[in-house]
Amino acid sequence: MVSTDPNDVVAFGPFRLHREHRRLFCGAEEVQLGGRAMEMLVTLARKKGELVHKQELYNAAWPGIFVHEANLKVTIASLRRTLKEYSPAEDYIRTLIGRGYWLSDQVNSGDIPGIADLPVVANTRFPELGTVIGRDAEIAALRDNVAANRLTTIVGPGGIGKTTVAVATVQLLEDEEGGLVTFIDFSRAAGEEFVISSVAAALGISSGSQDRLEAISSILARRKTLLLLDTCEHVLNAVAHLCDVILVNTSDVRIVATSRQALRAKREEVFWLAPLQVPPPGRTYTAEQVLGYSAPQLLVERASEKGQYTMEEGDAPAIAEICRRLDGSPLAIELISSRLSSRSAPDVLKELDDRFTTLVGPDQEGPLRQQTLLATLEWSYALLTNNEAAVLRAISIFMGTFDMDAVVSVVIHHELDPTAVFDAVAGLRAKSMLIVERIAGGMRYRLLDSTRAFAGKLLEASAELTAVSEAYARLVLGVFARANADQARLPARQWHAAYASHADDLRRAISWALFLGGDPLLGMQLVASGIPLWHELSLSEEARMNCERALAEFDRIGCNDRALKLKLIVGLAAVSSYISADAEKAIKTFETAIRLSREIGDTHAECQALGALARYRLLPGNQTEVRKILKELKRVATRSNNRSAQWEHEFLLTEMDIIHCQYPPAIARMEKLRQELRSASEASFSRFDLDPRIRSETAISALTWLGSRRPGTGLSGAQIIAREALEAHHGWTLIYSYVHGILFVLSECQEWAQAKYYAELLKDTIYRHGMPAWIPVANCHIEALDALSGVRKDPDGLMSAFDELRMGLKQIGRHVYYALLIRALYANGHVDQGARILDYLFEVGPQRSMVPELLRLRAAKERSVGRDEEALSTLRQSLIVAEENGAWAWRIRCATDLAVLLKDQRQIDDAKRVLEPVYGRFLDGFDIPDLQQARSVLTELQNFGVS
């Protein structure tokens, strides 16, 4: 229940915090925070606008417990990240270095964030730190090292605490410098071939992209970023190459890596991490003296946390010796600490000595500290009950965090009662074999890398791997069955938060079941269940690859489940609308999906397939039989009362109107649809498709600028929807809206800074979602905007962008992009190069909507070489076509250029008659450059001859 007491509710930006019930909302949507992050936010909110000292925050999140400052920084960073997911452009938590934080309600409304201020991460999350003990000096030294070097590798043996020190340090840097940190766990990478894909996944880049390293460099090049690459020792060469490429191609990226060996990369600075300090042998220590060393501090602290252990004076020698025997290894100390809850320190020391004598003999290979850690793990494993050991082996299948239900699922082959599984998990927690984390108010678990690797080898050596892999795959299938059901009831952001992090689980399950042949039918079911997630994350290439493989397996094994085949082929059809270069293959896919959906009687799938076919047919180069397809789509959508399909029909009709320059009916249709969408619930939207609200607003803004007398309204609409598209967190929606309207309007209105920002964001998004066919469009805008704003003068980049567009997919070759390049070339005096592009367009046949503007640009070329009479004829033709098309934006430009030419020929009255009636009919947008120039020309004409 949410509090109704206004004094209990604290508002900041779009957020509302209900302090008593510990609930945070952004609009109507609840924001999920961990327990400590929520306590810190509540503490900050009590004194909103005032400084909250660090000690107050410690007391709120860790009452009565001393923790290292890094724990506070980690929690604050996590809180900031969550708030930025909902409000990317603002930072509501301000820092006063060395003193504390305050919650601010001051925002920079109206300012767009810089590219460097936007997060680069998709679903990266730091491991939760326990209390950091005994590493103050190392963290301080490492912080200085990272600040001074672009690549720092923390090197030390397994279990030494490299990840803990690295996370604590980079979070301090993030908090102090405002940089953005991305955590990448390479323990999940099975081999060097998976290094690039792991980084790509952390940066939100589609795993199917063919140019992932280029995409990584491109995304990072414009941002201040710190990458934390964890557990690199088994993929050294690939990580070293990755670091070399990133550092060469970026200027403001720093990298911190953890490894048991140095990377040997070109700019690497190695930071050797020593074990915790242990009391030197050869003398007697008091308890106070022993606790002056960091290793005993950690041992006693962890034993106290687990079993209320209190160190007695007589324990001092044994505690000191235990730490010496464990070589100050933090992980080994964590594992041993649980024994002190039930045995005295001398007894634990004796057990340890006995066990090590057995496990670490003269024939053991490897450094002593590695032998010590392995022996400690084996000893800890030997102390487990049968159930605990079985659960530990099984949960090594999980690469990230997992909950209790997941544990029960993967040990099903042991036929354990859920209560026994719960007891086993509790036992593993008590023995430090399992880490507990609280995420979004729930309890989840994870294994440390060394423990997971140790348990994973035991699982491989057992006869259980196949059973656990199958159980894991079925668990993932169940997760995505729930995900698909939840799409109808959860808001997009909540759905994304709940299920996007399972993308890696889905990949691993599909790899085992489908690509490794573990269970092909299960693999096909997993692919079908994953299609909504890939659409949500705009991973079109990944969806295409998996659907094609699943359909091949379907035929190979002779499966007869037509409903399953339909899901796979509709999924393939949906992504083929925009990324398929093979028209014949794409159309065959659409037609097969339509036929199969009709055979089964699945009208929803039939609508999806008809819509995909119509979209493809509307793309340049494929515009045949569209009306027939749209008529059929409307019939099926109306008969089945499919609102999403009915909306899609209206969108596609509008696109057809635009192609034929029917702007007034297109605007009327979109405005009517906008009203309907405003009253519709979000649950009625299909996230298989583009966000319909953003899509309608994009169309309206572009149409209003081009085809109405209210260009100012079109510009303001484009500026608003540009931000909304960014905040929708749906890659394909962002790509579509930017390339089909937003960049067009901003560029035509000479809003250079905004257009450049969104063009760079577009390029990032294209790379993230594996849609490289659209890169030429992004490059076209970036090069043209640089030229038009004076950043670059040479024509090379513009002509390269022209070649990329010309050689790319014909479906994306809208002539408005070429016109932008021509204007940029003209603006810098490269008229001949611009004319080359113009000649190409008239040779292939200009798109009807662009004919007036292209004729105007031809006239500019003619004037540049003194052929004014030809230019006069061309401009008159341009103006006639602009009037016929109803293109007011082109009409005012043509009229202005024609009036200038007539003025130069001293035909003042003719010039007035051309320009005055056109300018006089505009209703707004008089501060837009085109109308400003027209007004300036009219003023010159009115003052002509006046002394």
Side-chain angles (χ1 to χ4, degrees):
M1 179 178 178
V2 177
S3 172
T4 57
D5 180 359
N7 295 320
D8 176 59
V9 180
V10 178
F12 58 100
F15 299 99
R16 300 292 181 273
L17 173 65
H18 297 259
R19 294 183 300 177
E20 180 182 351
H21 294 283
R22 300 303 197 262
R23 298 181 72 182
L24 177 66
F25 291 86
C26 181
E29 187 174 343
E30 185 165 5
V31 180
Q32 299 294 328
L33 291 177
R36 285 174 179 156
M38 177 60 77
E39 291 306 317
M40 284 194 184
L41 182 59
V42 168
T43 304
L44 292 166
R46 289 196 186 103
K47 300 170 69 174
K48 190 179 81 168
E50 300 177 26
L51 178 67
V52 178
H53 291 277
K54 291 190 289 185
Q55 192 57 51
E56 294 179 65
L57 296 170
Y58 285 128
N59 293 338
W62 296 276
I65 301 174
F66 172 77
V67 297
H68 189 277
E69 183 182 16
N71 295 274
L72 174 62
K73 305 281 189 179
V74 169
T75 308
I76 288 288
S78 172
L79 177 56
R80 277 184 167 137
R81 273 197 182 90
T82 301
L83 297 179
K84 274 187 173 289
E85 286 182 12
Y86 291 80
S87 184
E90 311 300 342
D91 186 1
Y92 295 99
I93 300 177
R94 309 295 173 86
T95 305
L96 186 59
I97 295 175
R99 295 184 62 190
Y101 304 85
W102 75 92
L103 185 66
S104 172
D105 205 14
Q106 297 178 1
V107 299
N108 302 316
S109 58
D111 296 336
I112 59 173
I115 287 288
D117 299 323
L118 289 177
V120 298
V121 299
N123 295 303
T124 184
R125 192 180 64 81
F126 285 88
E128 186 173 302
L129 293 182
T131 50
V132 182
I133 295 173
R135 290 300 194 185
D136 294 36
E138 289 88 345
I139 290 171
L142 181 59
R143 179 168 51 180
D144 293 339
N145 196 309
V146 174
N149 298 282
R150 293 191 64 198
L151 172 58
T152 303
T153 304
I154 306 170
V155 178
I160 205 70
K162 299 183 292 294
T163 301
T164 295
V165 171
V167 169
T169 302
V170 299
Q171 293 285 20
L172 286 173
L173 288 166
E174 180 179 46
D175 185 70
E176 293 167 5
E177 300 181 10
L180 298 161
V181 181
T182 300
F183 178 80
I184 302 163
D185 182 5
F186 283 133
S187 69
R188 303 182 180 203
E192 295 200 328
E193 66 272 26
F194 298 107
V195 163
I196 301 300
S197 59
S198 297
V199 178
L203 298 179
I205 300 167
S206 168
S207 64
S209 173
Q210 298 302 306
D211 301 306
R212 286 172 298 195
L213 189 52
E214 179 186 347
I216 290 166
S217 296
S218 175
I219 286 173
L220 294 177
R222 295 183 292 278
R223 287 176 167 84
K224 179 181 179 181
T225 307
L226 197 159
L227 299 179
L228 175 49
L229 312 180
D230 194 39
T231 315
C232 301
E233 55 269 3
H234 61 303
V235 287
L236 288 174
N237 292 332
V239 173
H241 175 66
L242 169 78
C243 293
D244 288 341
V245 171
I246 289 176
L247 294 182
V248 165
N249 289 288
T250 65
S251 60
D252 210 4
V253 174
R254 284 176 291 172
I255 302 173
V256 176
T258 72
S259 175
R260 298 183 187 184
Q261 298 173 251
L263 302 179
R264 301 188 183 277
K266 291 179 181 177
R267 305 186 190 185
E268 180 181 26
E269 182 73 19
V270 176
F271 184 92
W272 297 96
L273 186 62
L276 294 174
Q277 295 177 326
V278 300
R283 56 168 289 193
T284 303
Y285 296 88
T286 65
E288 182 179 358
Q289 289 171 331
V290 167
L291 291 177
Y293 295 88
S294 54
Q297 285 177 22
L298 179 63
L299 177 58
V300 172
E301 177 68 27
R302 293 295 186 258
S304 175
E305 290 174 1
K306 294 167 186 171
Q308 290 83 46
Y309 170 76
T310 303
M311 181 177 171
E312 303 292 342
E313 194 65 40
D315 290 345
I319 291 292
E321 185 60 27
I322 289 171
C323 291
R324 284 193 290 267
R325 293 290 286 115
L326 298 178
D327 293 309
S329 168
L331 177 55
I333 289 171
E334 292 267 3
L335 293 169
I336 294 298
S337 63
S338 61
R339 300 295 288 168
L340 289 172
S341 62
S342 59
R343 285 166 174 73
S344 68
D347 287 343
V348 172
L349 176 60
K350 185 176 185 308
E351 286 182 352
L352 190 61
D353 280 336
D354 293 344
R355 191 66 180 175
F356 273 31
T357 300
T358 303
L359 294 175
V360 183
D363 296 330
Q364 288 290 323
E365 297 181 356
L368 179 59
R369 285 198 181 100
Q370 292 185 20
Q371 294 180 38
T372 300
L373 177 59
L374 178 60
T376 306
L377 284 166
E378 290 180 345
W379 179 46
S380 300
Y381 182 74
L383 295 173
L384 301 179
T385 67
N386 289 338
N387 286 352
E388 290 168 352
V391 168
L392 180 65
R393 293 192 301 272
I395 61 178
S396 68
I397 197 79
F398 297 112
M399 303 305 293
T401 63
F402 47 91
D403 59 18
M404 184 60 72
D405 289 341
V407 178
V408 172
S409 296
V410 296
V411 297
I412 191 169
H413 57 288
H414 285 292
E415 299 182 351
L416 296 177
D417 183 89
T419 303
V421 177
F422 183 88
D423 290 342
V425 169
L428 292 172
R429 286 178 57 193
K431 294 167 184 173
S432 298
M433 302 292 279
L434 195 59
I435 303 298
V436 182
E437 294 187 358
R438 294 188 179 276
I439 301 174
M443 186 177 293
R444 296 184 68 82
Y445 308 92
R446 67 179 174 90
L447 293 173
L448 293 176
D449 295 337
S450 298
T451 310
R452 185 194 304 118
F454 172 77
K457 289 181 179 179
L458 293 173
L459 179 63
E460 290 179 8
S462 72
E464 303 165 343
L465 180 58
T466 298
V468 170
S469 297
E470 180 180 355
Y472 172 75
R474 295 194 181 281
L475 170 67
V476 173
L477 183 62
V479 167
F480 282 95
R482 292 194 301 275
N484 298 342
D486 282 347
Q487 276 200 313
R489 68 177 189 86
L490 289 181
R493 196 190 306 270
Q494 286 187 21
W495 191 92
H496 189 280
Y499 296 108
S501 61
H502 291 284
D504 281 338
D505 299 317
L506 181 62
R507 290 183 186 114
R508 181 168 184 175
I510 289 173
S511 176
W512 173 82
L514 192 63
F515 289 86
L516 297 178
D519 187 332
L521 178 58
L522 179 56
M524 291 185 285
Q525 293 168 338
L526 283 163
V527 171
S529 72
I531 291 170
L533 177 76
W534 295 320
H535 280 281
E536 175 69 17
L537 301 182
S538 301
L539 299 178
S540 300
E541 182 62 21
E542 186 168 352
R544 181 200 61 77
M545 177 186 69
N546 284 318
C547 285
E548 288 185 345
R549 179 57 182 262
L551 286 166
E553 283 295 293
F554 191 97
D555 293 336
R556 186 185 69 81
I557 67 174
C559 183
N560 57 9
D561 186 342
R562 294 196 299 167
L564 175 59
K565 184 175 183 179
L566 179 60
K567 289 180 181 179
L568 295 171
I569 204 161
V570 168
L572 181 58
V575 298
S576 297
S577 294
Y578 297 102
I579 68 172
S580 177
D582 187 335
E584 183 177 346
K585 180 179 178 181
I587 291 170
K588 182 179 178 181
T589 299
F590 304 140
E591 291 175 344
T592 301
I594 293 167
R595 185 187 70 251
L596 189 57
S597 62
R598 287 172 176 169
E599 291 175 0
I600 295 175
D602 188 334
T603 56
H604 180 76
E606 185 179 358
C607 286
Q608 284 185 293
L610 285 166
L613 177 57
R615 282 195 300 271
Y616 196 79
R617 285 295 195 189
L618 277 169
L619 293 170
N622 293 291
Q623 294 160 6
T624 59
E625 301 183 358
V626 176
R627 291 189 184 279
K628 178 181 177 182
I629 301 165
L630 289 178
K631 183 177 180 180
E632 190 63 16
L633 173 60
K634 184 177 182 179
R635 181 187 67 80
V636 179
T638 302
R639 187 186 67 197
S640 60
N641 195 29
N642 187 327
R643 296 183 74 191
S644 292
Q646 292 172 27
W647 296 334
E648 180 68 13
H649 173 263
E650 295 302 299
F651 281 124
L652 295 175
L653 270 182
T654 300
E655 290 191 22
M656 192 160 65
D657 283 343
I658 293 171
I659 290 170
H660 293 96
C661 302
Q662 300 296 312
Y663 302 129
I667 293 172
R669 182 180 292 106
M670 282 295 97
E671 288 180 339
K672 180 181 178 182
L673 182 58
R674 173 168 63 182
Q675 294 303 317
E676 182 177 347
L677 291 169
R678 284 176 175 173
S679 63
S681 67
E682 187 174 307
S684 61
F685 298 165
S686 169
R687 286 200 295 274
F688 269 89
D689 304 310
L690 304 165
D691 184 300
R693 288 175 178 161
I694 292 174
R695 190 176 177 186
S696 65
E697 295 292 348
T698 299
I700 289 170
S701 66
L703 285 165
T704 302
W705 183 85
L706 176 61
S708 85
R709 294 175 291 152
R710 297 183 181 275
T713 302
L715 173 59
S716 62
Q719 291 169 324
I720 292 169
I721 203 61
R723 278 179 172 266
E724 292 184 6
L726 170 60
E727 294 173 0
H729 299 286
H730 187 254
W732 178 226
T733 292
L734 186 147
I735 293 171
Y736 181 92
S737 61
Y738 283 14
V739 301
H740 285 84
I742 290 169
L743 286 175
F744 165 64
V745 176
L746 294 177
S747 300
E748 299 298 332
C749 293
Q750 299 182 28
E751 295 289 342
W752 308 134
Q754 288 185 19
K756 177 68 179 299
Y757 167 77
Y758 289 122
E760 290 182 334
L761 185 61
L762 168 67
K763 189 171 183 178
D764 281 4
T765 307
I766 290 167
Y767 270 132
R768 288 182 191 279
H769 299 292
M771 299 181 183
W774 290 95
I775 286 293
V777 177
N779 286 342
C780 164
H781 283 90
I782 291 170
E783 293 291 342
L785 292 165
D786 278 347
L788 289 165
S789 60
V791 174
R792 290 184 60 180
K793 300 291 186 181
D794 65 275
D796 295 345
L798 294 165
M799 296 309 294
S800 176
F802 162 60
D803 288 336
E804 286 183 17
L805 280 173
R806 185 168 53 90
M807 301 303 294
L809 291 181
K810 60 182 180 181
Q811 297 99 304
I812 66 172
R814 296 176 184 271
H815 289 183
V816 66
Y817 309 142
Y818 295 98
L820 182 63
L821 291 174
I822 296 169
R823 287 200 301 275
L825 287 162
Y826 281 9
N828 287 284
H830 307 297
V831 179
D832 289 341
Q833 288 91 334
R836 174 186 157 195
I837 299 176
L838 198 59
D839 291 343
Y840 164 77
L841 294 177
F842 278 105
E843 181 181 339
V844 300
Q847 293 164 2
R848 177 176 173 180
S849 62
M850 289 303 299
V851 169
E853 178 68 348
L854 296 177
L855 286 171
R856 187 185 72 86
L857 293 170
R858 171 180 278 179
K861 163 64 176 175
E862 291 165 345
R863 289 211 71 185
S864 73
V865 294
R867 301 205 304 265
D868 283 7
E869 289 305 314
E870 292 180 33
L872 186 65
S873 174
T874 302
L875 284 171
R876 290 189 186 282
Q877 182 186 359
S878 172
L879 186 57
I880 291 170
V881 177
E883 289 182 42
E884 291 175 348
N885 286 357
W888 284 93
W890 305 147
R891 190 173 176 186
I892 190 64
R893 285 187 186 175
C894 295
T896 301
D897 283 8
L898 182 55
V900 170
L901 176 53
L902 292 169
K903 175 178 72 70
D904 292 345
Q905 294 180 340
R906 305 285 174 157
Q907 301 180 53
I908 306 304
D909 290 339
D910 286 347
K912 289 180 180 178
R913 280 193 291 271
V914 165
L915 187 54
E916 282 179 341
V918 178
Y919 178 84
R921 295 190 65 184
F922 279 88
L923 302 174
D924 68 18
F926 297 103
D927 56 346
I928 288 175
D930 287 336
L931 291 180
Q932 286 182 330
Q933 184 181 2
R935 177 70 261 172
S936 177
V937 172
L938 283 172
T939 300
E940 287 184 41
L941 292 171
Q942 291 162 359
N943 295 332
F944 190 83
V946 177
S947 60

